Amino acid sequence: MTPTQHIYWHTTVQMPDDTRLTPLPEKVDVAIIGGGYTGLSAARTLAKQGVNVAVLEANTLGWGASSRNGGMVLTGLKLGMGSVMKKYGRDIARRLFQCSLEAIDTVEQIVKEENINCGFRRYGHLLAANKPKHYEALEEEVEFMEKEFSHKLRLLPRNEQHAEIGSDIYFGALLDECSGGLNPAQYVSGLAMAAERAGATLQARTRVNRLERREKRFVLETTRGLLNAESVLVATSGYTGNVTRKLQKKVIPIGSFIIATEKLPDELARQLIPNGRMIFDSMHYLNYFRLWDNRMIFGGRAAFFPESSKTIQRSAEILQREMISVYPQLKDVKIEYVWGGTLDFAFDMMTHVGEMDGVYYSLGYAGHGVAMATYLGKTVAEAMLKGSIKDHPFNLFPFPSAPLGLYTGFPWFLPFAGAWHKILDWVE
Ligand SMILES: Cc1cc2nc3c(=O)[nH]c(=O)nc-3n(C[C@H](O)[C@H](O)[C@H](O)COP(=O)(O)OP(=O)(O)OC[C@H]3O[C@@H](n4cnc5c(N)ncnc54)[C@H](O)[C@@H]3O)c2cc1C
């Protein structure tokens, strides 16, 4: 039976109400484009400091990746810390890793302070090795992270991995107990309420169509009228469009897809992931999975192009096959939901914050945005209050454009990139 194309997380919470649209203000101090973790976290921070701030969201609040993701609240960045250190040096690498730890603390603190019921817990994450040589690399990683970052990780050799994962396909794993997990839609919904309580104006169904700088202020032309703002923050992630053309050309939108099974019996769920860890594997075309309410939530980059009913349907078949290859125990289990969402990758796979033509931005989370978007929304807002973002740790390195300028915002090269990743998975 074909699963329903619907975001399972949305069945677990009342998403923010967009039926009672408040009138668009004429003028604000700060206008934020995008109502996901970045925009809402920034709005909460600014409003708490008495700033008159409006979040402009084209769809419903939390509509983007923020209510569709795997809910893994992870340490580190997409790029391994070894590569980050090679590119930017020890000092910057240490600062960035520290930010990733503070990002998880920030989520934990907001959830607690705002009383958000989203099941946040420090479940820990497991990185499972698909090949023996990947496990050898994990052994080196454990040593490196302890030596350079004083960050303790635990190795699980193949003969011990059943304590953490009921699968035989891996060659051992690495465990990081610092990471967490949550229900992403419950979290973004709670974050929206928190921003509103702090005094932010949240405008759903308000797409920004044009952004124009007029001397010292900005005029935003939206589907619900004009808005004047002293400052603007772009928080549009994988959905960045041509309103901010220069930023759009620096961000590659990549689809990621998830299936959710029917509820599993307690004993089976416990056998699959005994300690409820957030799990992902060591491939370029990676799979990530976890449990929620006894359902297996299994995701992957099954197609590279962003979500459409065609890519979602195809992804359901691919992901089910992948899930059964990890867990043959789930062969006869029903897949109830499938959905997709769009991630934002920069050309260097790093996250970037900064100011361009007077407009602030925070983009390029590359699948690490649950913690990082919350944290950067907050810290970019703090930089805006200070009036300078120059010394923000994520602004200490350049935000590259496409090689040879061969990108206008339409990711024509994704099928090639997908094929390239498959080749890398085969040879590496
Ligand atoms: C399937 C999937 C699984 C993922 N799993 C994980 C995970 O397990 N852990 C993790 O850390 N990260 C994960 N991520 C990434 C994470 O979800 C994102 O990094 C994060 O949600 C980005 O938040 P954001 O607020 O910056 O952007 P989004 O939540 O994407 O919000 C951007 C918003 O901008 C709006 N917008 C765009 N243009 C305009 C405009 N012109 N006017 C008004 N509004 C506009 C869009 O409608 C959208 O709602 C996953 C992503 C996907 C898609």
Side-chain angles (χ1 to χ4, degrees), residues 33-39 56-60 62-74 206-209 235-241 243 254-258 288 339-344 362 365-373:
I33 313 178
Y37 301 142
T38 307
L56 310 171
E57 166 55 55
N59 299 286
T60 47
W63 173 91
S66 296
S67 67
R68 300 160 185 253
N69 62 69
M72 303 190 176
V73 188
L74 303 170
T206 309
R207 177 176 290 281
V208 177
N209 286 328
T236 45
S237 188
Y239 301 91
T240 302
V243 170
I254 292 188
S256 189
F257 301 84
I258 301 184
Y288 51 92
W339 68 97
T342 303
L343 304 164
D344 54 338
S362 180
Y365 298 111
H368 273 245
V370 178
M372 206 45 96

Side-chain angles (χ1 to χ4, degrees), residues 380-410:
V380 169
E382 286 162 355
M384 291 171 83
L385 286 167
K386 228 172 51 183
S388 169
I389 197 162
K390 279 204 176 70
D391 53 1
H392 191 294
F394 281 87
N395 189 34
L396 298 177
F397 42 91
F399 190 173
S401 298
L404 308 171
L406 287 175
Y407 178 54
T408 53
F410 174 72

